Amino acid sequence: MKILGIETSCDETAAAIVVDGCRVLSNVISSQIDIHSRYGGIVPEVASRQHLLAIIPVIQKALTQADIELKDIDAVAVTHGPGLAGSLIVGVNIAKTIALSCRVKLIGINHLEGHIYANWLEGVEPEFPIICLIVSGGHTDIVLMRSHGLYEPIGRTRDDAAGEAFDKVARILNLGYPGGPAIEKSATEGDSSTYRLPRAWLKNTDDFSFSGLKTSALRLSESLDNSASADVAASFQEAVADVLVSKTIAAASRLGASNILLCGGVAANRMLRNMMLERSPIPVNTPSPILCTDNAAMIASCAYYRIQKGDSSALDLDVLPNIRL
Ligand code: KG4
Ligand code: ZN
């Protein structure tokens, strides 16, 4: 089954062709980072206009790279939430147009579920039950996945998402946007043991909190000059990774999980990946970095498993900017 995936929930316009949920024929991502970086963050109105300009060329490129035509696809899958309403609308409307004109199935996909399914794109079949840590710009969730499509929320952030904290601390340290890769790069030149930043353990819950850590990084940076930013970046990155890894492993062990899945944009962070792999007593799966950040292959993969269960969407599919998993 060849599925065309479309993803426009935030600042990446993406389209991909995936066969049977796991074989990626093409994965085209057009990033708007250069446009938004001059504002220091995403401007929703600018994002939706850019999606409008990019979406048709991006889909055409995905078809060309996969060496197929629109008539060859069996279904079209699209992110319909969570995300920016004006951005989601662009993807959903083009997906409906293609479904109607090509007479193929339409299926709306939850972006967070898509992040989880990035793990099925690399030829490994993680074993259920699985503890998923989804860490992105808008979410930090621990979810128990008992089988395909069956999720139980376990823990979540009570304030900032991990990616949001990376972006804000990068801004404090004048490292640029997006903050995650900028902090990771700066941290390679720093020493994480120079400063000890606090960890919010929130005992007896699987929830997270990153706002106190962010404020501590702000106070620390105010007391130092720019030359210390690499050490602050390294300490901050280690503090975030330490809490994410410790709490995920604790939840996995308490709930008897067979596997840990690490996904979402922050999962591209090498230190977080390595720490999870080193400390976990059970197998850890994490997609290659390009499949951690937003892409449409993960949306097409998720759609395959949903279609296997008989799911599809009607042509009145709406955007759901605040939908949960
Ligand atoms: O999943 P994603 O691409 O988009 C959302 O669904 O939000 O995640 C974007 C987030 C941003 O906050 C970005 O700073 C963070 O992921 N990120 C990283 C890295 N690459 C992206 N954070 C830490 N280290 C990275 N290498
Ligand atoms: Zn995402």
Side-chain angles (χ1 to χ4, degrees):
M1 177 180 276
K2 287 192 194 72
I3 300 182
L4 165 64
I6 296 173
E7 157 64 44
T8 63
S9 67
C10 196
D11 61 342
E12 259 98 27
T13 316
I17 306 288
V18 177
V19 181
D20 294 344
C22 62
R23 197 153 59 86
V24 182
L25 297 189
S26 62
N27 187 24
V28 179
I29 303 164
S30 167
S31 171
Q32 303 176 5
I33 282 177
D34 290 346
I35 298 158
H36 296 287
S37 60
R38 73 182 81 135
Y39 306 105
I42 297 162
V43 184
E45 175 65 12
V46 173
S48 53
R49 282 165 188 257
Q50 288 304 316
H51 285 307
L52 273 177
L53 293 173
I55 190 69
I56 290 176
V58 163
I59 291 173
Q60 271 166 346
K61 198 167 169 190
L63 291 166
T64 307
Q65 284 185 2
D67 200 18
I68 63 168
E69 294 177 30
L70 214 40
K71 67 173 173 47
D72 301 321
I73 63 166
D74 300 296
V76 54
V78 62
T79 303
H80 70 131
L84 302 169
S87 293
L88 291 164
I89 281 169
V90 177
V92 166
N93 279 324
I94 193 99
K96 285 181 187 180
T97 309
I98 292 171
L100 183 64
S101 56
C102 299
R103 295 198 177 88
V104 292
K105 259 196 183 82
L106 169 72
I107 180 152
I109 297 294
N110 181 311
H111 180 79
L112 301 173
E113 193 178 5
H115 272 305
I116 290 174
Y117 273 88
N119 283 288
W120 269 263
L121 289 169
E122 301 194 284
V124 269
E125 277 281 331
E127 195 187 322
F128 295 110
I130 297 168
I131 275 289
C132 309
L133 174 66
I134 312 168
V135 267
S136 70
H139 294 83
T140 299
D141 293 342
I142 296 183
V143 175
L144 177 64
M145 186 178 185
R146 292 195 187 278
S147 70
H148 286 292
L150 245 166
Y151 306 100
E152 201 179 300
I154 301 296
R156 59 200 299 262
T157 182
R158 294 185 180 175
D159 40 56
D160 290 347
E164 193 180 355
F166 266 97
D167 294 336
K168 287 178 179 168
V169 170
R171 202 175 309 155
I172 290 167
L173 299 175
N174 290 318
L175 295 175
Y177 173 85
I183 296 240
E184 176 164 24
K185 184 159 177 275
S186 175
T188 57
E189 285 148 28
D191 178 354
S192 64
S193 64
T194 310
Y195 307 107
R196 171 85 186 172
L197 286 167
R199 279 96 166 126
W201 293 112
L202 306 184
K203 293 255 182 311
N204 303 321
T205 95
D206 296 302
D207 285 353
F208 299 98
S209 167
F210 294 107
S211 66
L213 171 60
K214 180 191 66 193
T215 307
S216 298
L218 172 64
R219 296 282 169 264
L220 179 61
S221 73
E222 281 170 348
S223 68
L224 302 165
D225 64 32
N226 272 350
S227 63
S229 63
D231 289 338
V232 179
S235 304
F236 168 79
Q237 179 178 255
E238 188 172 282
V240 174
D242 191 12
V243 174
L244 289 172
V245 168
S246 305
K247 298 199 77 159
T248 303
I249 292 173
S253 130
R254 193 183 74 244
L255 296 163
S258 302
N259 238 280
I260 288 175
L261 295 192
L262 174 60
C263 57
V266 181
N269 185 280
R270 238 159 301 147
M271 195 209 177
L272 172 63
R273 299 163 76 89
N274 291 339
M275 197 188 275
M276 189 72 92
L277 286 162
E278 278 162 19
R279 289 199 196 167
S280 174
I282 58 171
V284 176
N285 293 82
T286 185
S288 47
I290 188 68
L291 295 171
C292 287
T293 45
D294 288 351
N295 66 85
M298 67 187 198
I299 302 302
S301 172
C302 180
Y304 173 77
Y305 289 94
R306 289 220 152 254
I307 290 170
Q308 296 305 301
K309 294 179 94 184
D311 286 357
S312 65
S313 304
L315 283 173
D316 63 355
L317 176 71
D318 204 355
V319 300
L320 297 169
N322 298 314
I323 191 178
R324 290 214 184 151
L325 191 60

